[in-house]
Every structure is written in C-alpha cells, then in structure tokens.
Amino acid sequence: VPATAGSSEELLALAEAAVGIGIWDIELKPGLLRGRPQFFHIMGLEPTDQPVPVENTRQLRHPQDRERVMQAFHEAVASASDHFEIEYRIIRPDGQLRWIFGRGRLIRDANGTVVRANGVDVDITARKLAEAALREGEERFRRVFEQSPLGKAMAGLDFRFRSVNPALCAMLGYSQEELIGRSFLDIVHPDDHDTCARLGH
C-alpha cells in the first residue's frame, strides 16, 4: 500500500516516541522555537504546532547546567562549527528531573552569521540512572573488597594478580605494589604448583 502523508507522519511520531527523540528548530533573531510533539513531551510541556519563545524551554534547564549549555553553543558559533552537542539536565514543570542529550546544527547566512539552529533532544535519563547504579555497585564492591578482614584478590588466567586487598597483603607479607602483576605461583611453595594449576582449570 503506498504511504500517505498521514501514515508517514504517524510512523515518524511512532519512531520519535520509541527512542525518546524530540526534533526542534529555532529562529535565533526572533528567539522562536518550533518543535515536534515528542519534543514537548520530553520537556513536559503541552505540544503545539505554533512557534513559542525559546526561553520557554531554556528556563527548564537545571540551574547548574544553564551556563554550561549556553557556553557550548557560543563556542560552536565562535569556532565556525556546523554542529554542537551536549548533555544536561532539565526540571520539568511537574518537578521531574530528566537528563537530555542535545545535538544541533547551526545554519549561517551568506555572511557566516548563525541565523537558525535545529536538531534533536534525546531523553537519556534511563541511561544515566543505569550508569549511576553501576557506579554505586562498583563503589560498594570496592569498599567490601578493600575493607574485608579476609584476604581477597583478583587474578587473570595467567595467575597474575590484578588487584589485592590490604588483608591479603598483611597475610602474605607483601605490599600491593609488590604483588600486582606478580604470579600467584611465585609465592606458592613449588610442591603445590601442580595443585594450584589444576584448580585454575
């Protein structure tokens, strides 16, 4: 069945919603922004097909990120770059904090002056939360590893120490610097090498 304008619009809207992408276009001199419905959904605003003041969305940026976002934009303008991208936070009107990845294209007139910008904003909150959870898990593991009263070590298949905790160093009588990169077999009695090798397999 041939695609119609209506079906194309529905497919585009579905794709935008599926990956959390909002498309926007800004006329810089009048300071007006047009956005696709998904863009306004990401921002927590009521969708409209009419141009709105760009300040309506700029004021949603987290206070700690506002200057950084504008600085990145001005640096792109000053460097004669055609593109810019940045990650930042917004606080929606309902108070919900979201992480945004923005990528834009600068459009210049014949004199090289930027007169327009358009691009996409992507909601990356889920990714940011996952990264934070991973960091928290790694930090928790590191604390348990370092503070454990039991000797603990991580080693590769070659039996060389990748990491050792203070308890193991005290147990073996070596410093961390002396153990890291050294083979576990170096500190095992020769009579036990075969047993250790079998355990490694």
Side-chain angles (χ1 to χ4, degrees):
V1 179
T4 65
S7 63
S8 298
E9 172 68 19
E10 290 172 1
L11 286 173
L12 177 58
L14 180 63
E16 290 170 343
V19 294
I21 291 179
I23 301 173
W24 50 265
D25 180 87
I26 299 172
E27 293 181 79
L28 295 183
K29 190 171 183 179
L32 294 177
L33 176 147
R34 289 181 182 273
R36 297 270 307 165
Q38 180 62 20
F39 169 78
F40 290 107
H41 285 310
I42 290 173
M43 295 293 151
L45 300 173
E46 188 68 26
T48 176
D49 57 3
Q50 298 300 310
V52 298
V54 69
E55 288 301 322
N56 288 12
T57 55
R58 285 178 178 170
Q59 67 182 0
L60 299 177
R61 293 170 185 163
H62 193 288
Q64 295 177 359
D65 294 345
R66 289 174 186 169
E67 183 177 347
R68 181 170 57 83
V69 174
M70 291 306 299
Q71 181 179 352
F73 176 79
H74 291 312
E75 287 177 353
V77 171
S79 67
S81 173
D82 291 332
H83 295 86
F84 65 94
E85 60 183 46
I86 193 167
E87 293 181 1
Y88 63 96
R89 295 163 292 175
I90 63 169
I91 302 176
R92 289 175 171 175
D94 62 3
Q96 188 177 168
L97 186 144
R98 309 293 293 181
W99 272 96
I100 303 297
F101 169 76
R103 179 173 177 80
R105 179 184 63 167
L106 303 178
I107 301 173
R108 303 172 187 271
D109 62 16
N111 298 319
T113 301
V114 177
V115 295
R116 197 181 199 94
N118 51 41
V120 297
D121 279 1
V122 184
D123 188 332
I124 58 170
T125 306
R127 192 197 84 192
K128 284 292 186 177
L129 292 176
E131 290 174 350
L134 178 60
R135 286 194 300 270
E136 183 180 346
E138 291 174 341
E139 177 60 22
R140 188 182 303 114
F141 173 81
R142 186 193 65 78
R143 288 198 302 269
V144 171
F145 183 83
E146 292 291 330
Q147 299 172 10
S148 173
L150 302 176
K152 295 180 179 292
M154 289 185 286
L157 295 177
D158 57 1
F159 291 100
R160 295 189 181 279
F161 290 112
R162 302 290 192 269
S163 182
V164 294
N165 73 344
L168 184 65
C169 292
M171 183 186 303
L172 299 179
Y174 292 93
S175 68
Q176 289 184 328
E177 291 75 16
E178 290 172 321
L179 287 175
I180 299 301
R182 190 171 185 176
S183 172
F184 177 67
L185 297 178
D186 291 343
I187 60 175
V188 172
H189 193 282
D191 292 345
D192 295 327
H193 279 194
D194 289 343
T195 300
C196 290
R198 285 197 297 272
L199 289 175
H201 292 293

